[in-house]
Amino acid sequence: MKNCIFCKIIEKTLPAKIIFENKDFLAFHDINPKARFHVLVVPKKHISSLESLKKEDREVIGQVFFVIQKIAKKLRLNKKGYKIAINVGKKAGQLVDHLHFHFLAGWKTKHQLENQKIP
Ligand code: AMP
């Protein structure tokens, strides 16, 4: 899709720190990470949001969880844990109109924040 940042990254006309690629997905580090690990898992097909998903996309999108497992293993986070998030629509914070899954890990827990010594 013309003027789509993620399509440009998929086409490799825009640089990104790619950590995984297969026929249907590309995963790369978020340019503005919200956690120590912040990877975006993006289907190569331009689907503008979760709300635009069609039944015909079911097979490809169903693979995403296995792609996520591979990324977690690669980052050695499969045992430590991680969070997956999808923003759907502008009001939910979706800035890029190309479906993507946020893979997040390595932030401080509430317990760590509460017990942190203030210098
Ligand atoms: P969302 O707000 O759910 O649409 O998420 C879009 C994400 O894309 C944000 O976390 C941005 O920091 C990230 N982002 C935008 N442009 C780039 C880029 N060129 N390379 C990597 N991440 C990007």
Side-chain angles (χ1 to χ4, degrees), residues 17 21 93 101:
K17 285 189 186 165
E21 181 167 17
F101 300 74

Side-chain angles (χ1 to χ4, degrees), residues 5-6 9 14-17 28-34 38 40 85-88 92-98 100 102:
I5 299 172
F6 289 176
I9 291 174
L14 205 68
K17 285 189 186 165
F28 50 89
H29 292 277
D30 196 293
I31 208 168
N32 182 20
K34 318 294 183 295
H38 189 172
L40 300 172
I86 312 170
N87 294 324
V88 186
Q94 185 177 356
L95 299 172
V96 178
D97 291 334
H98 184 133
H100 52 282
H102 293 261

Side-chain angles (χ1 to χ4, degrees), residues 43-109:
K44 288 187 175 176
K45 178 178 176 185
H46 183 89
I47 299 165
S48 54
S49 101
L50 185 143
E51 281 296 317
S52 324
L53 261 184
K54 296 201 170 69
K55 280 222 172 103
E56 69 203 41
D57 301 320
R58 193 167 37 185
E59 220 169 284
V60 167
I61 294 303
Q63 294 173 38
V64 74
F65 299 104
F66 301 99
V67 170
I68 288 166
Q69 281 183 346
K70 284 186 181 152
I71 293 165
K73 203 161 187 187
K74 196 166 188 175
L75 297 173
R76 299 186 180 179
L77 290 163
N78 50 325
K79 298 222 166 60
K80 285 188 181 164
Y82 51 88
K83 190 192 293 263
I84 301 297
I86 312 170
N87 294 324
V88 186
K90 290 221 175 342
K91 285 193 176 167
Q94 185 177 356
L95 299 172
V96 178
D97 291 334
H98 184 133
L99 178 63
H100 52 282
F101 300 74
H102 293 261
F103 176 110
L104 298 146
W107 56 90
K108 286 189 173 169
T109 63

